[in-house]
């Protein structure tokens, strides 16, 4: 009878299988006898009989093994999926668990998984690198496991208190299971499966034995991992009917269902077995090490590292007795360059080979043409040493690069008959024919531009507050010298486009430097010939202003690309502003119209534009033009992202809006630290300019309902200062400006002056200017003038008349200045007053409305706007029915009708004054 027709319970199936219908295969037995008892249809089939308990626990162990594999590769999404399946499988096995108890391997995976998730959760850097799915799965799974583990809290606590004992008991059971299964597997001929496998493993000998050692190690590791997943119960092992899958594993039921040792003798026997097992393992390791030493002594095998094969040894340059000619050297050069860029190429060894080739070429007098060509390739190999764009050159490589470029320039200056260029093809190169000019493919300008970029990268990646940054910054003198040499070379032999490019490099290393020597020469005119020759030579050098003028004008006239011209204009404006040439800088900015289309430029040019506008605003402030300074700095400061817009760092809140690749690109755009503009100085200049503009305006329009804000950031700082419950002495720069603003509101210019100019503010801000004393003098003057205006706006309603001499003494201003300020206020209709020249007094006109009148005016304005809006809504609903409505509607749109009459009345009332 076929097995498919068997019905009934498990006990019925077991009883039916005990007869002649189906005989189970013994693991190590004789298979010839079994074939006679099976039908032809069932020769290739096996019947596995397992209890419900074995099935459920095998399903749990398979899911646990999958979860552990996912934990190893940090796949939290997979862990979440398998954990949900594990919970469902545990629910199916609930009836068995109630009888037998919770399996220890289930408690172990719950405890390990919770610890693993807590570890991932605390790893902040690792969480940032996770993808979106894994991060979401981590949060979900962490909540689920914490909630799920509350039902097993006591079991998990016991496991965590003594995890080693649990592992030892599992290992002991596995040892007993393996021994029991090996005893039962012996067949009639007395050959067991273990003995058979042992004979098979002893078959390979000699060299091939080494290749099987790794497999043995992997088998041991897999056995250990399976031991960790074993389940420990007190039930007896009953059936030897369980079978292995295709001969790979023996009797899982007998393995799982062994009895735990209970008596003292059993415990001693188990302890002895563990010691024997550890001893055997130690003997196997020592034996394997001895065999490896013997093989190494024999010299037959060698342990190698995994991965791509690297260049092990330097290839021989030339065979012995080879005649060194131009063709041989160029052929060897091409062989070396063929490996360039390939994976596994040792770049350092390649550079050494090229340097060795240069020596061989110079020793055999092959000419400067070959030397120049190899030098070009050496410099290119030095640039390619770091394949990653973000990494920067090591100091030794950087120094090699500078030396090599200098040597190349020496050769080019010493040999005017050598021509290099990108447009020269390799087929048309002339490396050795001296009768004709030597022509070599290569671009010296490209190498210098790459050198400049590498220098910027080195400065970006160095800690600006360390001595190492200062040491690297000293190399800028060498970089500028090389650029200057290339400039002289290209002025003789380069094209117009190349000259514009090298001029821009020279400008970029000049525009941000304050020329102290030229500034000193302006302050102190030359006196006699008492100076040393060195000082005279320094003074005879070209001023940076003259140099910038010459280089930029050439670019303005000859350049055909918008980008180079735009950068040159911005650098020129920056240099003018840095040296307090406000009107030249302003005129150049307005004539260039850069502000109209700068938003279409690339980010580095936009950063340069922002830096230029900031420097322009600071220059206007030094000149006392507070309104121009405020307008220039308004866009940068009002955004709240001045640090990011100037390329001086990334904001933490913006880091969350971009991914890792975008962050790397942003960091490569950052300006090196020695080009930074002091952000505290920038904010202080902006806030002081806003204070000098806003405080008089607030005093003049105190009762105006439609008063607008000149600076939102300044008002924000004032509100922050007003909300403070306890007002102490100011500490930060912002607090000093807020305190000064409150004093200026009251017309107290001396208190305002003491808050703006003191030792703390001098150290933080004012001493950073080149001419600090002039800036402080200008500030005192502006504070006095604006305090006078504020005082007149605030207290004009109190006075009938006031003497200008009194105002002059109060604000320590000379009489003509006071007269000028009051006259401007009267002309601009800011102050309703008149001047009495004989008595030098200001006579006030009582035109200021009272508080009640102000409220009435505001009500009238609001009612007027309400009527106008009502008429517009009515016209929109009714439409136009004729000329009357059209004229009336148009009249309202043109501010005629009601508003016109109101305006007329207002004008009439003003003329009455």
């Amino acid at each position: 009878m076929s097995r498919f027709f068997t019905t009934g319970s498990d006990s019925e199936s077991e009883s039916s299988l005990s007869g002649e219908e189906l005989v189970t295969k013994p693991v190590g037995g004789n298979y010839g006898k079994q074939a006679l008892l099976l039908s032809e249809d069932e020769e290739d089939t096996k019947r596995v009989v397992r209890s419900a308990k074995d099935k459920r626990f095998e399903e749990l162990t398979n899911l646990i093994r999958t979860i552990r594999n996912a934990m190893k590769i940090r796949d939290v999404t997979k862990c979440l999926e398998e954990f949900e399946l594990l919970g469902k499988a545990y629910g199916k096995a609930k009836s068995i668990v109630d009888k037998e108890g919770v399996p220890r391997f289930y408690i172990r995976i719950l405890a390990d998984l919770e610890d693993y998730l807590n570890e991932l959760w605390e790893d902040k850097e690792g969480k940032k690198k996770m993808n979106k799915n894994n991060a979401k799965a981590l949060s979900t799974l962490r909540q689920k496991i914490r909630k799920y583990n509350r039902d097993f809290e006591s079991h998990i606590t016991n496991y965590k208190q003594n995890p080693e004992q649990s592992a030892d008991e599992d290992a002991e059971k596995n040892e007993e299971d393996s021994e029991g299964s090996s005893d039962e597997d012996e067949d009639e001929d007395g050959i067991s499966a273990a003995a058979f496998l042992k004979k098979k493993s002893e078959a390979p000998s000699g060299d091939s034995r080494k290749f099987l050692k790794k497999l043995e190690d992997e088998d041991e590791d897999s056995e250990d991992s399976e031991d960790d997943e074993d389940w420990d119960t007190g039930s007896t092992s009953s059936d030897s009917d369980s079978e292995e899958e295709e001969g790979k594993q023996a009797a899982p039921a007998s393995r799982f269902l062994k009895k735990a040792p209970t008596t003292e003798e059993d415990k001693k026997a188990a302890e002895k077995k563990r010691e024997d097992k550890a001893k055997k393992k130690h003997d196997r390791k020592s034996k394997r090490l001895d065999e490896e030493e013997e093989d190494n002594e024999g010299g037959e095998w060698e342990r190698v590292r995994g991965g791509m094969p690297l260049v092990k040894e330097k290839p021989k340059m030339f065979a012995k007795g080879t005649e060194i000619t131009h063709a041989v050297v160029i052929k060897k050069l091409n062989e070396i360059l063929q490996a360039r860029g390939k994976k596994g190429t040792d770049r350092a060894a390649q550079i050494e080979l090229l340097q060795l080739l240069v020596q061989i070429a110079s020793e055999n007098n092959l000419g400067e043409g070959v030397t120049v060509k190899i030098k070009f390739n050496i410099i290119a190999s030095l640039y390619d040493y770091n394949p990653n764009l973000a990494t920067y050159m090591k100091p030794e490589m950087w120094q090699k690069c500078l030396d090599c470029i200098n040597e190349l320039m020496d050769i080019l200056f010493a040999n005017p008959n050598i021509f290099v260029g990108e447009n020269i093809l390799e087929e048309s190169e002339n490396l050795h024919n001296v009768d004709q000019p030597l022509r070599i493919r290569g671009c010296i300008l490209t190498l210098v531009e790459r050198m400049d970029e590498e220098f910027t990268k080195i400065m970006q990646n160095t800690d600006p507050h360390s001595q190492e940054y200062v040491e690297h910054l000293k190399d800028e003198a060498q970089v500028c010298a090389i650029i200057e040499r290339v400039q002289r070379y290209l002025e003789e032999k380069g094209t117009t486009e190349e000259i514009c490019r090298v001029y821009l490099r020279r400008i970029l290393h000049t525009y941000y430097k304050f020329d102290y020597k030229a500034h000193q020469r302006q302050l102190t005119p030359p006196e006699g010939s008492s100076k040393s020759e060195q000082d005279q030579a320094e003074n005879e050098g070209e001023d940076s202003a003259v140099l910038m003028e010459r280089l930029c004008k050439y670019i303005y006239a000859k350049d055909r690309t918008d980008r180079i011209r735009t950068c040159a204009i911005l650098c020129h404006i920056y240099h003018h502003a840095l040296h307090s040439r406000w009107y030249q800088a302003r005129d150049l900015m307005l004539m260039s119209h850069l502000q109209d289309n700068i938003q279409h430029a690339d980010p580095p040019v936009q950063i340069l534009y922002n830096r230029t506008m900031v420097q322009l605003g600071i220059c206007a402030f030094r000149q006392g033009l507070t309104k121009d300074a405020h307008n220039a700095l308004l866009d940068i400061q009002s955004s709240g992202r001045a640090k990011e817009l100037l390329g001086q760092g990334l904001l933490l809140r913006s880091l969350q809006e971009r991914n890792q690749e975008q962050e790397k690109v942003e960091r490569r755009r950052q300006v090196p630290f020695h080009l930074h503009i002091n952000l505290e100085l920038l904010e202080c200049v902006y806030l002081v300019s806003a204070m000098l503009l806003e405080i008089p305006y607030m005093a003049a329009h105190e009762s105006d309902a439609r008063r607008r804000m000149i600076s939102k950031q300044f008002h924000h700082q004032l509100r922050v200062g007003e909300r403070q419950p306890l007002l102490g002495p100011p500490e930060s720069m912002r607090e000093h400006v807020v305190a000064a603003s409150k004093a200026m509101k009251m017309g107290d210019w001396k208190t305002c002056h003491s808050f703006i100019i003191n030792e703390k503010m001098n150290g933080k801000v004012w001493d950073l200017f080149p001419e600090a004393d002039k800036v402080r003098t200008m500030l005192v003057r502006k504070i006095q003038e604006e305090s006078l205006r504020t005082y007149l706006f605030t207290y004009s309603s109190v006075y009938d008349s006031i003497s200008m001499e009194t105002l002059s003494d109060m604000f320590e201003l000379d009489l003509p200045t006071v007269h000028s300020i009051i006259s401007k206020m009267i002309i601009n209709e800011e102050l309703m007053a008149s001047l009495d020249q004989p008595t030098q007094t200001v006579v006030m006109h009582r035109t200021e409305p009272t508080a009640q009148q102000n409220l009435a005016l505001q009500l009238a304005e609001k009612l007027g706007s309400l009527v106008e809006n009502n008429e517009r809504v009515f016209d929109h609903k009714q439409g136009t029915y004729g000329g009357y409505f059209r004229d009336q509607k148009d009249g309202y749109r043109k501010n005629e009708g009601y508003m016109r009459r109101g305006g007329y009345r207002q004008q009439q009332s003003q003329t009455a004054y």
Side-chain angles (χ1 to χ4, degrees), residues 42-307:
E42 298 178 352
E43 283 184 342
D44 298 330
T45 61
K46 293 188 294 182
R47 178 58 183 255
V48 178
V49 179
R50 291 178 295 173
S51 63
K53 178 170 140 184
D54 294 341
K55 292 178 184 177
R56 296 303 180 197
F57 287 164
E58 184 179 0
E59 184 181 1
L60 292 176
T61 52
N62 289 337
L63 290 171
I64 289 171
R65 190 175 294 111
T66 308
I67 290 175
R68 290 197 181 276
N69 290 336
M71 288 164 61
K72 290 177 184 176
I73 61 174
R74 298 172 71 92
D75 188 356
V76 188
T77 309
K78 184 69 175 174
C79 288
L80 176 60
E81 295 174 0
E82 296 299 324
F83 178 74
E84 291 174 350
L85 295 176
L86 184 67
K88 293 178 182 178
Y90 183 79
K92 293 178 182 178
K94 185 67 175 170
S95 58
I96 298 171
V97 171
D98 292 340
K99 295 178 184 178
E100 306 292 341
V102 181
R104 188 172 291 120
F105 65 83
Y106 193 74
I107 298 300
R108 185 184 301 122
I109 189 62
L110 293 181
D112 293 349
L113 185 58
E114 186 176 11
D115 294 342
Y116 172 75
L117 294 175
N118 290 335
E119 183 180 351
L120 285 183
W121 188 264
E122 292 172 0
D123 185 9
K124 302 297 183 184
E125 295 296 327
K127 281 172 65 178
K128 287 182 182 177
K129 296 177 182 178
M130 276 187 180
N131 58 30
K132 188 176 180 180
N133 293 334
N134 269 352
K136 187 176 179 181
L138 174 61
S139 177
T140 306
L141 182 56
R142 184 168 173 266
Q143 292 177 359
K144 285 190 175 184
I145 194 71
R146 290 171 66 182
K147 185 177 179 181
Y148 190 78
N149 283 2
R150 289 172 189 166
D151 299 335
F152 304 94
E153 193 169 354
S154 58
H155 298 282
I156 293 173
T157 306
N158 294 334
Y159 166 72
K160 287 185 176 180
Q161 286 176 355
N162 198 357
E164 296 180 359
Q165 182 179 356
S166 304
D168 292 343
E169 290 176 2
D170 292 341
E172 179 184 332
K173 287 175 178 49
N174 293 333
E175 182 71 22
E176 293 176 0
D177 293 342
S178 61
E179 288 180 1
S181 61
S182 64
D183 293 341
E184 293 171 1
D185 287 343
E186 292 184 0
D187 61 356
E188 295 176 0
D189 296 333
I191 301 174
S192 64
F196 177 74
L197 291 173
K198 187 174 181 182
K199 287 184 180 180
K200 293 277 283 183
S201 63
E202 288 174 356
S205 63
D207 299 340
S208 60
R209 185 176 64 247
K210 294 299 292 179
F211 293 104
L212 298 175
K213 287 174 182 172
K214 188 174 180 182
L215 295 175
E216 293 175 4
D217 294 338
E218 291 177 357
D219 292 341
E220 292 175 5
D221 295 339
S222 64
E223 287 174 5
D224 292 340
S225 64
E226 288 174 5
D227 290 347
D228 291 340
E229 302 298 333
D230 287 345
W231 175 74
D232 186 17
T233 62
S235 63
T236 59
S237 121
S238 56
D239 301 333
S240 61
D241 300 333
S242 60
E243 65 174 9
E244 61 185 3
E245 295 179 3
E246 298 296 334
K248 292 182 181 178
Q249 184 179 359
S254 62
R255 178 182 292 265
F256 286 136
L257 303 177
K258 282 287 181 181
K259 204 181 235 185
T262 53
T263 63
E264 291 293 330
E265 295 178 358
D266 292 341
K267 289 183 180 179
K268 288 180 181 179
E271 184 70 27
K272 187 177 181 183
K273 285 178 184 177
R274 280 199 300 272
E275 291 176 359
D276 294 341
K277 185 177 179 181
K279 187 176 180 182
K280 286 177 184 178
K281 193 172 183 180
H282 180 71
D283 293 341
R284 282 199 303 270
K285 283 187 178 179
S286 60
K287 185 178 179 183
R288 186 162 61 246
L289 291 173
D290 294 339
E291 289 175 355
E292 288 177 0
E293 290 176 1
E294 290 175 4
D295 291 339
N296 291 334
E297 289 174 2
E300 297 177 359
W301 296 93
E302 180 184 358
R303 184 181 293 275
V304 295
R305 290 190 305 172

Side-chain angles (χ1 to χ4, degrees), residues 664-831:
K664 288 180 181 177
V665 173
E666 290 288 339
R667 291 196 183 280
R668 285 200 293 270
R669 292 178 185 150
Q670 299 305 300
V671 177
F673 183 75
H674 62 281
L675 274 72
H676 281 195
I677 297 172
N678 192 317
L679 294 176
E680 190 172 17
L681 179 144
L682 172 62
E683 188 177 8
C684 181
V685 166
Y686 175 75
L687 290 177
V688 170
S689 301
M691 177 190 75
L692 295 174
L693 293 173
E694 191 80 60
I695 297 300
Y697 180 82
M698 290 169 63
H701 300 81
E702 188 173 3
S703 59
D704 190 357
R706 295 184 178 182
R707 184 181 65 196
R708 61 183 178 84
M709 287 187 294
I710 297 176
S711 171
K712 289 185 179 180
Q713 189 180 6
F714 178 73
H715 276 272
H716 173 69
Q717 296 300 331
L718 287 180
R719 285 195 296 270
V720 169
E722 290 171 359
R723 284 199 299 264
Q724 287 182 355
L726 180 63
L727 288 177
E731 295 180 0
S732 65
M733 177 271 301
R734 294 174 181 174
E735 291 176 357
H736 276 87
V737 175
V738 170
S741 302
K742 291 178 180 178
M744 183 182 280
K745 266 186 181 179
M746 307 304 294
D748 187 358
W749 76 272
K750 290 184 179 179
T751 307
C752 178
H753 168 250
S754 65
F755 281 130
I756 292 294
I757 299 175
N758 50 52
E759 290 184 3
K760 189 179 287 188
M761 291 291 285
N762 286 341
K764 284 184 175 182
V765 180
W766 308 125
D767 287 342
L768 302 178
F769 285 108
E771 298 176 343
D773 293 334
K774 284 187 178 180
V775 174
R776 280 190 281 264
T777 305
M778 178 273 300
L779 264 177
V780 173
R781 179 84 173 188
K782 296 297 289 184
I783 288 172
Q784 289 171 333
E785 293 176 358
E786 297 302 328
S787 297
L788 171 60
R789 284 166 46 84
T790 307
Y791 184 83
L792 289 174
F793 283 136
T794 306
Y795 300 108
S796 61
S797 60
V798 177
Y799 289 98
D800 287 329
S801 64
I802 185 171
S803 172
M804 285 193 287
E805 290 183 1
T806 305
L807 294 175
S808 175
D809 295 338
M810 186 185 298
F811 293 96
E812 296 183 10
L813 291 169
D814 52 347
L815 198 58
T817 304
V818 174
H819 186 279
S820 171
I821 293 171
I822 296 175
S823 299
K824 285 180 183 176
M825 293 173 68
I826 294 173
I827 291 170
N828 295 330
E829 296 183 357
E830 295 174 339
L831 182 67

Side-chain angles (χ1 to χ4, degrees), residues 18 182 349 360 541 557-558 634:
S18 62
S182 64
I360 294 172
K558 304 288 186 181
L634 180 62

Side-chain angles (χ1 to χ4, degrees), residues 245-379:
E245 295 179 3
E246 298 296 334
K248 292 182 181 178
Q249 184 179 359
S254 62
R255 178 182 292 265
F256 286 136
L257 303 177
K258 282 287 181 181
K259 204 181 235 185
T262 53
T263 63
E264 291 293 330
E265 295 178 358
D266 292 341
K267 289 183 180 179
K268 288 180 181 179
E271 184 70 27
K272 187 177 181 183
K273 285 178 184 177
R274 280 199 300 272
E275 291 176 359
D276 294 341
K277 185 177 179 181
K279 187 176 180 182
K280 286 177 184 178
K281 193 172 183 180
H282 180 71
D283 293 341
R284 282 199 303 270
K285 283 187 178 179
S286 60
K287 185 178 179 183
R288 186 162 61 246
L289 291 173
D290 294 339
E291 289 175 355
E292 288 177 0
E293 290 176 1
E294 290 175 4
D295 291 339
N296 291 334
E297 289 174 2
E300 297 177 359
W301 296 93
E302 180 184 358
R303 184 181 293 275
V304 295
R305 290 190 305 172
M308 294 295 294
L310 302 176
V311 179
K312 294 295 181 185
E313 59 182 13
K314 296 179 184 177
K316 295 180 180 178
M317 294 299 292
F318 301 104
K320 192 174 182 181
T322 304
E323 183 181 0
I324 308 299
T325 61
H326 293 88
V328 172
V329 171
I330 295 301
K331 183 180 178 182
K332 178 58 69 176
L333 174 64
N334 291 331
E335 288 179 6
I336 296 171
L337 294 180
Q338 281 176 358
R340 179 181 170 188
K342 290 184 179 179
K343 192 174 182 181
T345 303
D346 190 350
R347 298 180 181 86
Q350 197 178 31
I351 295 169
E352 292 176 5
L353 289 176
L354 290 172
Q355 290 175 340
L356 182 60
L357 195 61
V358 169
Q359 294 177 6
I360 294 172
S362 60
E363 288 171 1
N364 291 273
N365 298 321
L366 297 181
E368 300 295 345
V370 177
T371 304
V372 169
K373 184 171 180 63
I374 300 174
K375 289 275 186 188
F376 268 114
N377 287 291
I378 289 175
I379 298 170

